[in-house]
């Protein structure tokens, strides 16, 4: 890539000299926090990005991993007595069950 630099010397009253080098290539193509390009998606910091990439490639996407956790949790909820839960705890369980049902319905519709 060509190194295009445009010197920009501005002189404002009471400010002294202002100099800014503009290199449009670094705006778009210089990696910043493991991102580069015009559209950047950050999934957060990882202590071991290589391992995280391998897990996503070999085990499953975040959605697939969450789906499996949700399915296993639904099995446990079905086999556990939930007596003695507070109303807030009952609401949390009901919200989770609705969400799992919504996911199941969408998966069945698209299958």
């Amino acid at each position: 890539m060509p190194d295009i630099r445009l010197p920009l010397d501005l002189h404002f009253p009471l400010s002294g000299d202002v100099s800014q080098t503009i290199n449009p290539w670094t705006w778009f193509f210089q990696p910043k926090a493991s991102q580069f390009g015009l559209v950047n998606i950050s999934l957060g910091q990882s202590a071991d990005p290589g391992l995280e990439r391998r897990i996503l490639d070999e085990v499953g996407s975040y959605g697939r991993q969450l789906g499996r956790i949700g399915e296993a949790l639904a099995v446990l909820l079905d086999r556990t007595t939930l007596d003695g839960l507070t109303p807030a705890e009952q609401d949390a369980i009901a919200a989770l069950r609705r969400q799992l049902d919504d996911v199941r319905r969408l998966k069945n519709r698209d299958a």
Side-chain angles (χ1 to χ4, degrees):
M1 282 185 247
D3 189 15
I4 301 172
R5 295 177 186 262
L6 306 172
L8 185 62
D9 291 322
L10 300 173
H11 304 280
F12 292 104
L14 305 174
S15 69
D17 292 345
V18 176
S19 178
Q20 174 71 45
T21 301
I22 298 174
N23 184 354
W25 294 109
T26 59
W27 292 348
F28 299 111
F29 301 112
Q30 180 178 355
K32 290 188 182 355
S34 75
Q35 297 181 354
F36 65 93
L38 301 173
V39 177
N40 297 311
I41 299 172
S42 175
L43 298 175
Q45 297 290 340
S46 173
D48 191 343
L51 176 60
E52 189 164 341
R53 170 61 32 212
R54 282 184 47 222
I55 291 169
L56 290 172
D57 290 343
E58 297 175 24
V59 176
S61 68
Y62 296 120
R64 176 160 290 160
Q65 292 176 50
L66 285 171
R68 297 265 163 85
I69 291 168
E71 291 167 359
L73 189 53
V75 170
L76 294 175
L77 287 173
D78 289 341
R79 295 188 172 269
T80 303
T81 58
L82 302 175
D83 300 336
L85 294 179
T86 67
E89 293 168 337
Q90 291 173 6
D91 290 345
I93 297 295
L96 176 64
R97 287 184 191 264
R98 282 191 303 272
Q99 189 175 44
L100 292 172
D101 288 342
D102 290 343
V103 169
R104 189 176 309 110
R105 194 174 316 107
L106 286 172
K107 288 170 82 173
N108 289 338
R109 186 182 74 186
D110 291 344

